[in-house]
Amino acid sequence: MPSTVKDDDWSISASEEELKKVLTEIQNNVFKETLENECYKNFMEKLNIEIEKTVPSVSRRASLVRKRSKSRSSAIDRFITLSNEQKCLVLQAQYEEHKNQIELIRTNFEETLDLQKAISEELKARHDEILKNHNLFSKLVEKECLFANQVIPAEKVLRHSDDYCKLIDTQSDKLRLKNSSIKATLKKTKEQLRQKESGEVLSAIDFEQMKIDNNKCLAEIDEKNHTIQTMKITSARTLQILSEYKKKLSKVLHEQKYIKGEQNQRQEMQRRVQSEIILAKQELKLERALNEKFENQISSYLVPSVIDFVRLVSEEHALSSKQNIYSRRLTIAKVALRYYKKRWLQIQRSNLNEAL
């Protein structure tokens, strides 16, 4: 600034660039003061101390606009502003608070991320399991339904569903054992952490004992898994044998049904044959009675003598010759009768003509 201009009226003669620079400095100082006030306010609210709202100091703003006495401005600063140590304490407290909040947010985020990862893995495993089951069922359908009108047997569908349920049970048992082992490990880890925090550090003997127990648990888990696999193989063989026996049973039932039908037909035929036998016996009895009667007649029949037979034959010839003679006479008489009738009619006609 030129020396001819007074200090109180320097803003009048200042250039526009200088005014902009001063305004920028004032805005920066206001922003800094606002941040300091906010930090101090939060700190005081945390300590549950009520403070009165004081009018913000304008000493710094006025110092940039006009010159003030050094003693007055320093007195106001000492009265209103905080010392550097106090500011450091307030900022350190705010820093610790923000750090704790960030750690809490990070912990919550990690827990949420782990939960989402677990859910994603579970959904992926479930998707793989459903896809595997779908492929197995599709293979079963393609294997059975080679033709358009062929129907899948219900036994195979039930066997497929039973195998799938047993597989799910086996997996659930494995997961249950794994979950129990993880819980036991987590419990031991928490106990170790608690002992470490409380100053009770485990000795090497305890670690060896824990290793031995862990090896025993792993051996038991392996044994259980081996037992589960053996039982699974046994159940598969049992199901196969059961299916074979079911096939044999269905075949035997079909044969039994066929034999029962044949038996009913044979019984019906037997009843018919028995009725025919009864009728045949009755006819045989009647024929025997007639035969006995005929035999009795034959036994009681007396043959005539030869002379009588010759006499009867001669009489028969005589009678037959007489019959021929009488038949000829009858024929002649009939012819004569027709002639006389015709003649009689002619006479009657002639008499009628004469009468007319």
Side-chain angles (χ1 to χ4, degrees):
M1 291 182 188
S3 59
T4 58
V5 182
K6 295 181 179 180
D7 294 335
D8 294 336
D9 298 332
W10 70 272
S11 60
I12 297 172
S13 61
S15 63
E16 187 176 356
E17 293 180 357
E18 291 177 352
L19 291 174
K20 287 182 179 180
K21 188 183 292 184
V22 171
L23 182 61
T24 305
E25 290 179 358
I26 291 170
Q27 289 178 354
N28 292 329
N29 291 326
V30 169
F31 181 71
K32 291 178 182 179
E33 292 291 337
T34 305
L35 287 177
E36 289 180 1
N37 290 330
E38 289 293 332
C39 291
Y40 182 67
K41 186 178 179 180
N42 292 328
F43 180 73
M44 295 304 292
E45 286 178 356
K46 186 178 179 181
L47 296 175
N48 294 323
I49 298 174
E50 295 182 357
I51 59 172
E52 295 180 357
K53 294 182 180 180
T54 59
V55 180
S57 176
V58 293
S59 60
R60 293 186 180 181
R61 299 177 188 175
S63 64
L64 296 173
V65 178
R66 60 184 179 179
K67 290 184 178 180
R68 302 173 65 182
S69 63
K70 186 176 180 181
S71 61
R72 186 178 178 183
S73 62
S74 62
I76 293 171
D77 290 336
R78 283 196 302 271
F79 180 73
I80 295 174
T81 60
L82 297 173
S83 63
N84 291 328
E85 293 179 358
Q86 291 175 348
K87 289 180 180 180
C88 287
L89 290 174
V90 172
L91 290 174
Q92 188 175 2
Q94 292 295 321
Y95 173 73
E96 292 293 334
E97 183 179 359
H98 286 297
K99 187 177 180 181
N100 293 329
Q101 289 179 358
I102 290 169
E103 289 294 331
L104 182 62
I105 292 169
R106 184 180 296 171
T107 304
N108 294 329
F109 177 74
E110 288 178 356
E111 290 179 356
T112 307
L113 184 62
D114 293 336
L115 180 62
Q116 294 298 326
K117 284 182 179 179
I119 292 171
S120 177
E121 290 177 358
E122 182 182 0
L123 292 175
K124 187 177 180 181
R126 188 177 295 177
H127 178 266
D128 294 337
E129 185 179 356
I130 291 170
L131 186 62
K132 184 178 179 181
N133 188 22
H134 179 266
N135 292 328
L136 291 174
F137 189 74
S138 299
K139 288 181 181 179
L140 178 64
V141 171
E142 290 176 358
K143 185 178 179 182
E144 293 296 332
C145 296
L146 295 176
F147 301 99
N149 296 325
Q150 192 172 0
V151 181
I152 304 172
E155 296 178 356
K156 292 191 176 181
V157 177
L158 291 174
R159 185 173 61 189
H160 176 72
S161 61
D162 292 337
D163 293 337
Y164 180 67
C165 291
K166 288 180 180 179
L167 180 62
I168 290 175
D169 293 335
T170 305
Q171 291 179 357
S172 63
D173 292 334
K174 288 182 180 179
L175 291 174
R176 194 179 294 109
L177 291 173
K178 187 177 180 181
N179 191 13
S180 62
S181 63
I182 290 171
K183 284 183 179 180
T185 307
L186 182 62
K187 187 176 180 181
K188 290 179 181 179
T189 307
K190 286 182 178 180
E191 185 67 23
Q192 290 176 3
L193 183 62
R194 186 185 63 79
Q195 290 177 359
K196 186 176 180 181
E197 289 177 354
S198 62
E200 298 176 0
V201 182
L202 296 175
S203 61
I205 298 172
D206 295 330
F207 281 111
E208 292 295 330
Q209 185 66 32
M210 290 173 66
K211 286 182 181 179
I212 293 169
D213 294 336
N214 190 15
N215 292 326
K216 287 182 180 179
C217 292
L218 291 175
E220 289 179 358
I221 290 169
D222 293 334
E223 185 178 358
K224 294 291 183 182
N225 290 328
H226 182 69
T227 305
I228 289 168
Q229 293 294 330
T230 306
M231 292 176 68
K232 187 177 179 181
I233 294 169
T234 306
S235 64
R237 291 178 181 174
T238 306
L239 286 173
Q240 186 177 2
I241 295 169
L242 181 62
S243 63
E244 291 178 358
Y245 278 117
K246 283 183 178 179
K247 289 180 181 178
K248 290 181 180 179
L249 180 61
S250 62
K251 187 176 180 181
V252 170
L253 289 174
H254 183 70
E255 290 179 356
Q256 183 182 3
K257 187 176 180 181
Y258 176 75
I259 292 169
K260 193 173 182 180
E262 290 289 332
Q263 187 178 3
N264 292 328
Q265 291 180 0
R266 296 290 177 84
Q267 288 177 357
E268 184 68 24
M269 190 181 294
Q270 185 178 4
R271 285 194 293 270
R272 291 179 182 177
V273 170
Q274 286 179 357
S275 62
E276 290 178 358
I277 288 171
I278 292 169
L279 292 174
K281 285 182 179 180
Q282 291 177 358
E283 291 178 358
L284 179 62
K285 187 176 181 181
L286 183 61
E287 291 293 332
R288 283 180 179 177
L290 293 174
N291 193 11
E292 288 178 357
K293 185 177 180 181
F294 183 70
E295 287 178 355
N296 291 327
Q297 288 178 357
I298 290 172
S299 62
S300 62
Y301 178 73
L302 296 175
V303 180
S305 62
V306 178
I307 297 170
D308 293 332
F309 179 72
V310 172
R311 184 174 57 78
L312 289 173
V313 170
S314 62
E315 288 179 357
E316 183 182 1
H317 284 293
L319 290 173
S320 61
S321 61
K322 286 181 180 181
Q323 183 181 2
N324 291 328
I325 292 168
Y326 285 121
S327 62
R328 288 175 184 174
R329 287 179 181 178
L330 181 61
T331 304
I332 293 168
K334 286 180 180 180
V335 172
L337 180 61
R338 283 197 298 271
Y339 175 75
Y340 286 124
K341 282 183 179 181
K342 189 182 290 185
R343 186 69 179 164
W344 176 252
L345 289 173
Q346 290 177 359
I347 292 168
Q348 285 182 353
R349 287 176 183 174
S350 62
N351 290 328
L352 287 172
N353 290 327
E354 289 178 358
L356 293 173

